[in-house]
Amino acid sequence: MISWLSRTTHEFPPNSRALKDPNGLLAAGGDLSPERILNAYRNGIFPWYNPGEPILWWSPDPRCVIYSDRLHISRSLRKRLRRSDYQVTFDQAFGAVMDGCAAPRAGSSGTWISPEMHAAYRQLHHKGHAHSVEVWQDGELTGGLYGIASGRMFFGESMFSRRTDASKIAFAWLVEQLKIWGYPLIDCQVHNPHLVTLGAEEITRETFLRELDRIVDTPCSPSWKFDIDASVFGG
């Protein structure tokens, strides 16, 4: 049985109580207050549920992550990254990035990014905890991603593309910049073939929580402006 959370406390049960089927389901209920969401991430837990369901909280085993020094860039993507027909920014269109991530995907008519989730993460963005990466081409937002930063840990949430490779461009720039800022690990939550091509891998929940405990409280105050350019992807 999973735990039902009270609205009067932001505490979660131990990750070890998460179900094996469905993998990682730990708790339900509570709310999407900034305090609860941040406490969840700091403990390796994240919210994910469909509209009409109660809020569900997850801690899967294994966990999909990417180490910032293990980013894999294919020859074709590297060639694409070196072109000068796009721009990449931080935090210039957070709401629009969430809208892009919430838009229906091929083969799916729904989204888990409900209006309540949208409002909760925009509030976290205003408080300086949630960040977006935008890819612009011809003045148009063509792709991006968003997530939560805590200490030297970045928790990726979702990404989207409106043109070929736009989300890969956003992710590659993010990882390279975070590596320079001293972020060793990016959480990708669950296995995603798209991210595996970029170097994401699965580690045990125990390993993930150990890594998280090591870096989530490490002070870090990045500018959230890119101080790299396309030359980081090779000449």
Side-chain angles (χ1 to χ4, degrees):
M1 295 289 292
I2 62 171
S3 299
W4 281 86
L5 303 181
S6 166
R7 287 180 175 268
T8 61
T9 176
H10 300 139
E11 297 303 312
F12 288 89
N15 298 63
S16 59
R17 293 187 187 174
L19 301 181
K20 293 184 178 180
D21 185 19
N23 179 19
L25 180 58
L26 177 65
D31 57 27
L32 293 176
S33 66
E35 295 78 14
R36 188 187 300 275
I37 293 176
L38 291 174
N39 189 47
Y41 282 105
R42 290 170 58 82
N43 286 280
I45 302 161
F46 58 88
W48 180 49
Y49 64 102
N50 293 316
E53 295 178 344
I55 302 170
L56 301 178
W57 302 89
W58 302 79
S59 177
D61 186 13
R63 189 79 166 224
C64 187
V65 302
I66 184 165
Y67 289 90
S68 60
D69 60 356
R70 300 181 193 176
L71 176 66
H72 173 74
I73 301 175
S74 67
R75 182 178 300 178
S76 60
L77 180 58
R78 191 174 298 277
K79 183 178 179 179
R80 180 69 187 85
L81 286 163
R82 293 200 299 263
R83 289 168 57 179
S84 59
D85 62 342
Y86 69 90
Q87 297 80 41
V88 184
T89 58
F90 267 123
D91 289 345
Q92 296 302 298
F94 186 88
V97 168
M98 285 203 72
D99 288 339
C101 292
R105 310 292 176 97
S108 175
S109 60
T111 177
W112 58 271
I113 305 176
S114 65
E116 293 77 15
M117 289 283 280
H118 201 296
Y121 282 81
R122 288 197 67 165
Q123 189 174 7
L124 286 164
H125 173 63
H126 291 316
K127 289 177 175 291
H129 302 294
H131 301 278
S132 59
V133 177
E134 303 89 18
V135 177
W136 307 88
Q137 294 172 269
D138 302 320
E140 176 189 356
L141 179 64
T142 60
L145 59 85
Y146 74 96
I148 300 288
S150 182
R152 293 186 184 271
M153 183 76 189
F154 191 87
F155 303 88
E157 273 297 311
S158 187
M159 58 174 57
F160 79 101
S161 285
R162 292 177 181 144
R163 293 192 191 178
T164 302
D165 290 336
S167 63
K168 289 185 177 182
I169 291 171
F171 190 74
W173 276 72
L174 172 69
V175 174
E176 288 290 355
Q177 183 63 75
L178 291 179
K179 180 171 66 175
I180 290 173
W181 287 339
Y183 285 66
L185 192 66
I186 296 98
D187 178 29
C188 304
Q189 298 182 347
V190 295
H191 181 272
N192 181 322
H194 180 71
L195 293 179
V196 168
T197 65
L198 292 164
E201 59 188 275
E202 291 185 317
I203 60 176
T204 66
R205 180 168 56 214
E206 181 181 3
T207 300
F208 174 74
L209 293 176
R210 185 167 59 246
E211 296 272 31
L212 179 63
D213 186 62
R214 181 174 62 88
I215 61 179
V216 76
D217 290 321
T218 305
C220 187
S221 300
S223 64
W224 297 107
K225 294 182 179 179
F226 283 102
D227 51 29
I228 60 173
D229 56 38
S231 65
V232 74
F233 302 109

